[in-house]
Amino acid sequence: MTSVLGVMNPNLINGRNLHKGSLIFVKVEEIKKRGQWRFSIKEKSLRTPQATASSTTEPKLGVITNDNVLENEENLKRQLKKLKQSQVDGVMVDVWWGIVESKGPKQYQWSAYRNLFAIVQSFGLKLQAIMSFHRCGGNIGDDVNIPIPKWVLEIGDSNPDIFYTNKSGNRNKECLSLSVDNLSLFRGRTAVEMYRDYMKSFRENMEDFINSGVIIDIEVGLGPAGELRYPSYSETQGWVFPGIGEFQCYDKYLRSDYEEEVRRIGHPEWKLPENAGEYNNVPEETEFFEYSNGTYLKEEGKFFLSWYSRKLRLHGDQILDEANKVFLGCKLKIAAKVSGIHWWYKTESHAAELTAGYYNLKTRDGYRAIARMMGRHHAILNFTCLEMKNTEQPAKAKSGPQELVQQVLSSGWREGIEVAGENALPRFDRNGYNQIILNARPNGINQDGKPRMFGFTYLRLSDKLLREPNFSRFKMFLKRMHANQEYCSEPERYNHELFPLERSRNDESLEKFMEETEPVDPFPWLEETDMSIRPFESILSLLQSTFLRKKS
């Protein structure tokens, strides 16, 4: 389960036109043992839907067990009560396909999630619900195992090509390959139809929580870890940071699609890459990613990378279109997550991004087309690694998380869409918090308040977060995200009113939405945030509150 801690920032209070704020959510993480809860930060899990006005926290991923039971209810209530006192906006929750539809096709069991949502509602918190069509387990920060539905896995036993496959033939069962999006292989349904039916059943069974304004955000899972990418770097396949990963397009359906495409353009001799190395190679060890004369620079390599990245965008476009139709008219936002693959960003080939499906180079913006596609469906682009600084990364990884965040957020803002964020790794220190605040408001507080993130999700909720001095520092972070303003429970007063979801735009051709774009300079960023948490500030605040409590 994921929970969102949100802090909202008023925009119009007492007749004053204040800066616009962001939502803050906290995500709940899975538990290693039943009966144990913790609120902790997880890699790639800090999100800010409205980074200056609200925040969310995510509870443990395993708050609903594989048996579809809500466990540790009293401990959950204790944690949510404390979160509410910190003035977050809400919690983010993974709604696992593998749990809800585990019994068989269209046999949905929602009772445990309804119980959970009712508890969240009772504390006056909002909900971000993730349509989690992937497996939990095998990604950084995962500490439970929730597979995709057993009956789907059984189909894969006889037809393993429904899963992503690397050049060695190894299958990744974390999620279904995008190659089966439109193939009726699942007892008469396609993969997209399964996702659509699941979302329709969710809406029908959670209508009261949607209509009452408890559920304000639906994040649509589009791949491994819920992200729009290929599973190019998976620990279950032996990947170790900062390996470049491997292309995942060798199942028979994607292979056939590529062969048809190269025949169509008159190059039947072109094959899927066999020279791109293995999971833990570095770029210069491979012929494909070699800096000066690699295959990625040649006509054949360019065509492959365009095809590979375009298939990913079409996959996201189709599923978001279905989500838009399902939740049309609901007063909520839909969102999708893009992974922050920062390692090898400061190399010519950007190898780790390329294997994940992001065709991003110095001469080519691999994220603008994704932002444009999301904008077509009125979706929020949710990005990760907001807490990271370049100096914190090992030199050998040639990472550029700061430049990557600036590029992706700027791509979203230039396309006129709302952008949200998450942290990638657990952080309880003021340096991590200050970097998040900076990325949420890169130009600081001003009358226009732009560019500005729509919201942020903090991963995750844990006992460690709720212990002192961590919790006092976290509350100080929330206060800064709200630009030191008091909590406001009326989003329309700070320009975050929810309107009925409109139908996806169809005013431009699909080809236009799929076009890659030339790089443009990102928006300017301050060197450091103008709302910094100062050294010892949270400790002094804790001592002061303790003194006042004892005095009273």
Side-chain angles (χ1 to χ4, degrees), residues 330-454:
C330 296
K331 285 189 176 182
L332 50 72
K333 299 284 188 179
I334 61 172
K337 185 157 66 169
V338 174
S339 183
I341 301 178
H342 55 86
W343 53 105
W344 306 115
Y345 183 86
K346 289 194 169 183
T347 63
E348 293 296 323
S349 65
H350 291 239
E353 291 169 271
L354 298 191
T355 57
Y358 305 141
Y359 192 2
N360 187 55
L361 302 171
K362 289 182 179 179
T363 57
R364 186 187 196 97
D365 189 330
Y367 300 98
R368 188 95 180 258
I370 293 174
R372 185 181 302 133
M373 178 271 290
M374 291 186 181
R376 183 166 97 89
H377 305 294
H378 314 292
I380 296 171
L381 190 161
N382 180 29
F383 196 62
T384 63
C385 72
L386 263 68
E387 83 288 4
M388 292 185 176
K389 299 188 76 169
N390 294 357
T391 53
E392 299 168 343
Q393 308 305 315
K396 67 177 182 179
K398 298 185 178 178
S399 291
Q402 291 175 252
E403 292 83 358
L404 176 61
V405 167
Q406 291 174 19
Q407 178 188 353
V408 177
L409 300 194
S410 295
S411 293
W413 286 325
R414 291 191 187 282
E415 289 299 323
I417 69 172
E418 291 168 333
V419 175
E422 298 183 355
N423 53 306
L425 297 170
R427 295 290 290 268
F428 305 99
D429 61 294
R430 70 180 190 90
N431 290 332
Y433 286 144
N434 284 341
Q435 187 63 23
I436 294 166
I437 297 167
L438 171 62
N439 287 325
R441 289 189 300 256
N443 298 152
I445 298 174
N446 54 63
Q447 286 294 322
D448 294 330
K450 290 192 175 181
R452 182 194 70 256
M453 295 193 73
F454 181 78

Side-chain angles (χ1 to χ4, degrees), residues 6-198:
V7 180
M8 297 193 289
N9 204 5
N11 198 34
L12 287 170
I13 298 180
N14 298 328
R16 294 183 295 139
N17 186 5
L18 303 178
H19 67 276
K20 301 175 180 66
S22 306
L23 294 166
I24 302 177
F25 300 86
V26 176
K27 186 174 183 181
V28 179
E29 70 179 355
E30 302 296 348
I31 48 180
K32 294 181 180 178
K33 298 178 181 178
R34 293 186 179 180
Q36 176 192 3
W37 272 85
R38 62 192 176 97
F39 192 47
S40 67
I41 307 174
K42 168 187 174 182
E43 291 199 20
K44 303 188 178 175
S45 61
L46 188 51
R47 290 202 317 172
T48 309
Q50 303 168 346
T52 53
S54 67
S55 64
T56 59
T57 302
E58 179 182 31
K60 287 184 171 293
L61 298 172
V63 63
I64 305 294
T65 71
N66 280 18
D67 297 326
N68 210 349
V69 175
L70 173 61
E71 288 199 335
N72 303 307
E73 184 174 323
E74 291 308 313
N75 200 37
L76 171 62
K77 290 178 179 179
R78 176 186 62 81
Q79 290 187 321
L80 293 180
K81 181 180 180 180
K82 194 163 185 177
L83 286 184
K84 180 63 177 179
Q85 293 170 351
S86 73
Q87 298 189 338
V88 300
D89 293 302
V91 294
M92 174 187 283
V93 178
D94 285 286
V95 184
W96 296 103
W97 180 35
I99 292 176
V100 174
E101 200 178 353
S102 63
K103 302 299 184 183
K106 297 189 179 181
Q107 296 182 39
Y108 307 109
Q109 300 292 328
W110 297 107
S111 59
Y113 279 102
R114 284 196 55 83
N115 292 340
L116 172 61
F117 293 178
I119 292 172
V120 173
Q121 182 180 31
S122 71
F123 285 94
L125 294 167
K126 302 297 184 182
L127 266 167
Q128 291 181 328
I130 306 179
M131 302 291 101
S132 296
F133 300 117
H134 61 284
R135 178 188 69 204
C136 180
N139 282 299
I140 298 170
D142 290 345
D143 54 8
V144 299
N145 181 51
I146 302 173
I148 63 175
K150 181 181 178 181
W151 62 273
V152 176
L153 291 172
E154 289 173 349
I155 293 172
D157 290 340
S158 58
N159 183 6
D161 287 285
I162 67 173
F163 301 117
Y164 285 110
T165 307
N166 68 4
K167 67 178 183 298
S168 301
N170 295 325
R171 315 290 185 171
N172 188 314
K173 297 183 180 180
E174 185 176 351
C175 60
L176 296 176
S177 169
L178 60 79
S179 64
V180 299
D181 279 353
N182 299 299
L183 299 179
S184 300
L185 302 174
F186 305 95
R187 303 196 186 176
R189 290 188 295 170
T190 67
V192 169
E193 288 170 342
M194 289 194 295
Y195 307 147
R196 177 203 63 197
D197 293 344
Y198 183 85

